[in-house]
Structures are given as structure tokens and as C-alpha cells.
Amino acid sequence: MSLVSIDQIHKYYGENHVLKGVDLKVAPGEVVSIIGRSGSGKSTLLRCINGLEAYQQGAIVVDSQAVEDDEYKLRLLSRSVGMVFQNFNLFPHMTAGENVMLAPKLVLGQDSKTSRAHAQELLEKVGLGDKFDAYPNNLSGGQQQRVAIARSLAMSPKVLLCDEITSALDPELVGEVLKVLEQLKAEGMTLILVTHEMNFARDVGDTVVFMHQGKVWETGPSDEVFASPQTSELQSFISAVL
Amino acid sequence: MMQFSDWDILRNLLLAARWTLLLSLIAFTGGGLVGLCLTLARSLRNPLISGFIKAYVELFQGTPLLMQLFLAFFGLSLIGIDVDPWTAAGLSLTLFSSAFLHEIWRGCIDALPKGQWEACRTLGLSYLQTMRYVILPQALRIAIAPTVGFSVQIVKGTALASIIGFVELTKAGTMLNNATFQPFKVFAMVAVLYFIICYPLSLFAKHLENKTHVTR
Ligand SMILES: Nc1ncnc2c1ncn2[C@@H]1O[C@H](COP(=O)(O)OP(=O)(O)O)[C@@H](O)[C@H]1O
Ligand SMILES: [Mg+2]
């Protein structure tokens, strides 16, 4: 039984046909890496999965909930789907701890004590146990991104979507964020990652999805896809980035 | 002819300055309240309401305040509604301020990165929760300084009310000049009084700007 099931979705921005019949099934605990050139529709696909973008045709089902353009249903869906963004999108007027506690308090109705303890636990898990009271702009990019991951995890999502979450980081900070993702995989979290970190996709990811011109051009187990790409497009993409 | 000592001039100006202050306060409070309603109404994203508010703002920003005062004062009496200078000045300055304050505040909300909204959505916050806990606290921080700064514009704007016969600082200065024929002395005093009102506001705006260490 798939946790995420995407069936022939089409997405248009005005005249621009951005997703042209995309299929994707993600099993619980699976780590899927989406790779492809800029503009191939990777972000758009990710944003359709949690309803940030509406799609025009096809169907997406996540955790037995249909992703539809309906404010109420999307709010329910947001409990199953977490998202981490390229530029963190932390709330700058709140401390790291407050960032993590906000949604559990407001959306799940947790009391302060519970949400505080849980937030502390999550910050420790991402290696930031001592940064509870730090404001985002006093943290490095890598630390901010780890807070953002902890913030998503606080809602106990079933699947975590990550859109190029290491692309805005200085190279020496990428590792600490990827380490957290590896740890999440080890704990059985389902991850869908848009990424440029090919080594990570190959070594940690289970499945690779290569997107090209709004389609899933090629997909398969990571090691196989990287070892023997079938299409010339993927071959040239891999040789360009590796 | 009656003789005016310097003290007499100053005393009369000070008395008139009360009305400048009061009119400014009315315009700022009234304009703030109307501006707030406009801002909240605008954020509902109803195209009809937003269109109306846009037109409203264009109207008050695109015409001189003086014309708005004339219309409120003479225009309303033409259609049979008698308004005294107080009402006309209070009303037009309120509407004028509301349009500008709304623009300032909406700009502050729009200035926040779209990612803040998206982060809230993915965390499951409702629209009102997003506004209350994430958007407004940040928008307020960046809004305070320009808002206080605009209050200086309001104070200076009240000078125009002198033209419809409202006796505030500028009008009192004109009258005192007619009586004393000492324009330099009188208007220097007027200017100094405006400065005494406005300068602390400017300082305050600067102070706020520094104090609310805008994060990000
Ligand atoms: N908000 C938007 N409005 C209009 N067009 C968009 C928008 N977002 C993305 N696009 C277009 O959709 C296509 C796919 O974009 P995107 O999904 O961001 O690609 P990727 O993440 O693979 O770089 C591009 O042609 C881009 O210009
Ligand atoms: Mg992208």
C-alpha cells in the first residue's frame, strides 16, 4: 500500500504545461530522490503533493487522503505531510524553540509544557539541544535548516518533503543537514527529496526519479539508475553533475 | 491699534497649536482606525472589496489634500449639508490619513516573504492563526517607524485646514501677521512650534526603527 500515490497529474501555469502526466508511488519508509534540470517541474511536483499548488488533472492520494483544492481538507492533510524549504522559512521573530512549538500548540492543541518538552527533544535530535532560545538570525544556515526540519517533525508527519534543502547552504554546512536526513531514514521516515546531492541520492536514497520536461523520464532503484542510466537525457544529466 | 508683545504673539500661537495637535490626533486616530479596517478587509482577498479599496486609495493619494478639504467644506454645503471647518477638516484629514496608513500597512504585510505564508500552510495553521502569530507581529515591527513618520506628515497637513478658516497654528500665524506686520518674527515662531511638535515624532520614529532590531 503506497503512502503517496500520484496518478497522471497535469499542472499548468497559464499556458505553460509544467507537469505532463506524472505518476509516482512512494511506499512507507521509502526515500525518493527527485533529480533533473532546473525548470523540469521538480518543485512543482513536490508542491502539488501537499496542496501548495493546485493541479488540473489526475489524482494525488497521501495517507488515504485525496489532495484536493479545499481549504479544510488541505489543513487536515498538512498533519500527514511536512515540508522543508530551500531557504528555511523560519519565523524570524521567534526563537528556535518557539518555531518548533508553534504549530503543535495551535493546530494540535498541545499545552505549553508538552510542546516545550517535545520541541527540546526534537532540537536535541537534530543536534541543537542548546539552541532552544536562539533566534534564527543568530544561527548558521545549517543550524537554521535543522531547526526547520525539527519544526516539521513536531507535527509528526508521515512523509517529509524536502525541496533542495541544502542548496542555500555553504558547502561545509551541507553535511550536517544530510546527516539528519540519514538519521530520519534510519528511523523509518518517508522522504521525498528534490536534490542536487547526487552522492546522497545514490548512497542513501532508495529510489531515484529523473524528471525531464515535466515528465518522469526515468525512475528506478538508486544504485541501478546511477550505474546504468537508460535514456540519453539522464546519461548527459549525470555526466554533467557528477 | 492694539499692541502685541512677543509674549502675546507666542501665547496666541500656543493656544492655536492646541488645535493643530487635536486635529492631528483626530486625523491619526480616525485614519488609523479606518486604515486598519481597510487593511483587514483587503486581506480577505475578495476582488470586489479589494477593487473598491484600491479606488479609494487612488482617489485620496491622487488628489491634493487641499482639494479634498475644499470638497468636504464647500462641496458638502453645495449639496445642502452644512459643515463647520472642524468637521470638514477632521473628516478629510481622517480619510486622507486612512488611505496612506492603509498603503503603508499593506506594504508591510506584502513585504514579508511568501515563504512565511507557505511555512504556515504546511504546518496546518489557519489563515487567522497565520495572521495573528506570524504575519502581523513581523509586519507591525516594520510598520511602526513609517507609521510614526507619517504622523509628521499629518501634523504638517493640518496647516492646510487654515484655508477653510480653521484656526490652528498656521491660521493664527496669518492673523497675527496681519495684526503685527512682523511676518518674519511671527512665521519663525510658527515654524519653531511645528518643529517642536514634529521633531520628537521623527526622533521617536528613528528610535523605534533602531530598537525593533528587525530580524532577517
Ligand atoms: N509560480 C509560478 N508561476 C508560473 N510559472 C511557474 C511558477 N513556478 C514555476 N513555474 C514554471 O514551472 C516550470 C517548472 O518549475 P519548477 O517546478 O520550479 O522546476 P524545478 O523545481 O525543477 O526547477 C518552470 O517552467 C517554471 O518557470
Ligand atoms: Mg525547484
Side-chain angles (χ1 to χ4, degrees), chain A residues 21-54:
Chain A
V22 172
D23 289 312
L24 182 65
K25 302 264 182 291
V26 181
E30 189 176 355
V31 175
V32 176
S33 315
I34 303 176
I35 60 173
R37 289 203 166 74
S38 168
S40 55
K42 307 181 297 294
S43 297
T44 306
L45 177 63
L46 217 54
R47 293 163 61 83
C48 283
I49 297 177
N50 67 353
L52 275 182
E53 297 287 349

Side-chain angles (χ1 to χ4, degrees), chain A residues 47 50-52 71 74-75 78 81-83 85 89-94 99 102-103 106-107 135 137 151-152 155, chain B residues 113-127 129-130 132-135 137-138 141 213-216:
Chain A
R47 293 163 61 83
N50 67 353
L52 275 182
E71 195 64 31
L74 287 180
R75 281 191 68 199
S78 66
V81 188
M83 186 163 199
F85 301 87
N89 292 337
L90 289 177
F91 307 133
H93 58 302
M94 296 180 190
N99 265 278
L102 183 72
L106 294 179
V107 181
Y135 281 90
N137 64 344
R151 182 175 69 175
S152 290
M155 296 298 286
Chain B
K114 220 175 88 212
Q116 294 288 304
W117 289 95
E118 291 185 346
C120 291
R121 263 191 80 178
T122 56
L123 289 168
L125 269 61
S126 69
Y127 174 78
Q129 288 170 335
T130 303
R132 159 82 180 75
Y133 293 96
V134 176
I135 302 301
Q138 295 183 67
R141 277 192 190 182
H213 57 98
V214 177
T215 41
R216 159 178 307 274

Side-chain angles (χ1 to χ4, degrees), chain A residues 5-229:
Chain A
S5 161
I6 300 174
D7 189 20
Q8 279 298 306
I9 63 160
H10 290 258
K11 162 79 186 170
Y12 298 80
Y13 283 114
E15 297 284 284
N16 191 1
H17 196 174
V18 177
L19 296 179
K20 302 170 183 165
V22 172
D23 289 312
L24 182 65
K25 302 264 182 291
V26 181
E30 189 176 355
V31 175
V32 176
S33 315
I34 303 176
I35 60 173
R37 289 203 166 74
S38 168
S40 55
K42 307 181 297 294
S43 297
T44 306
L45 177 63
L46 217 54
R47 293 163 61 83
C48 283
I49 297 177
N50 67 353
L52 275 182
E53 297 287 349
Y55 51 90
Q56 279 78 40
Q57 257 182 64
I60 301 181
V61 177
V62 180
D63 192 23
S64 320
Q65 301 171 67
V67 181
E68 287 165 13
D69 198 4
D70 173 306
E71 195 64 31
Y72 177 73
K73 285 188 184 160
L74 287 180
R75 281 191 68 199
L76 283 182
L77 179 76
S78 66
R79 299 194 189 180
S80 303
V81 188
M83 186 163 199
V84 185
F85 301 87
Q86 180 174 344
N87 45 7
F88 329 135
N89 292 337
L90 289 177
F91 307 133
H93 58 302
M94 296 180 190
T95 64
E98 288 166 348
N99 265 278
V100 180
M101 290 190 297
L102 183 72
K105 271 193 194 166
L106 294 179
V107 181
L108 306 178
Q110 276 181 14
D111 60 66
S112 292
K113 205 163 146 254
T114 312
S115 59
R116 178 168 286 268
H118 192 206
Q120 181 64 40
E121 201 178 293
L122 286 168
L123 286 175
E124 267 157 29
K125 179 187 179 121
V126 299
L128 296 171
D130 56 338
K131 299 292 185 193
F132 193 98
D133 293 318
Y135 281 90
N137 64 344
N138 294 327
L139 298 174
S140 74
Q143 291 173 329
Q144 291 187 51
Q145 195 58 292
R146 286 184 281 149
V147 173
I149 293 173
R151 182 175 69 175
S152 290
L153 294 178
M155 296 298 286
S156 315
K158 299 254 172 64
V159 51
L160 195 59
L161 312 176
C162 301
D163 192 356
E164 300 196 23
I165 65 172
T166 56
S167 296
L169 301 179
D170 294 335
E172 72 273 18
L173 301 178
V174 169
E176 63 190 53
V177 172
L178 294 183
K179 216 180 87 207
V180 172
L181 292 183
E182 258 188 86
Q183 190 187 332
L184 288 176
K185 176 191 159 73
E187 290 170 8
M189 174 63 82
T190 310
L191 297 170
I192 305 180
L193 322 159
V194 172
T195 185
H196 291 303
E197 298 294 330
M198 293 305 147
N199 293 327
F200 184 85
R202 185 185 54 207
D203 302 336
V204 180
D206 300 308
T207 308
V208 167
V209 172
F210 172 60
M211 289 199 59
H212 187 66
Q213 297 179 347
K215 291 184 180 141
V216 173
W217 205 257
E218 194 170 334
T219 180
S222 309
D223 35 7
E224 286 176 27
V225 168
F226 280 107
S228 55

Side-chain angles (χ1 to χ4, degrees), chain B residues 10-27 86 155 158 166-172 193-194 197:
Chain B
L10 184 62
R11 196 168 49 91
N12 280 298
L13 287 177
L14 281 172
L15 288 173
R18 287 180 306 174
W19 305 124
T20 291
L21 278 175
L22 187 61
L23 186 59
S24 304
L25 203 66
I26 290 174
W86 258 111
V155 173
T158 59
F166 183 95
V167 185
E168 41 62 74
L169 193 47
T170 301
K171 180 73 178 174
L193 285 177
Y194 273 116
I197 298 173

Side-chain angles (χ1 to χ4, degrees), chain B residues 102-116:
Chain B
H102 164 67
E103 274 295 280
I104 291 174
W105 295 341
R106 195 184 60 95
C108 291
I109 289 177
D110 287 354
L112 298 179
K114 220 175 88 212
Q116 294 288 304

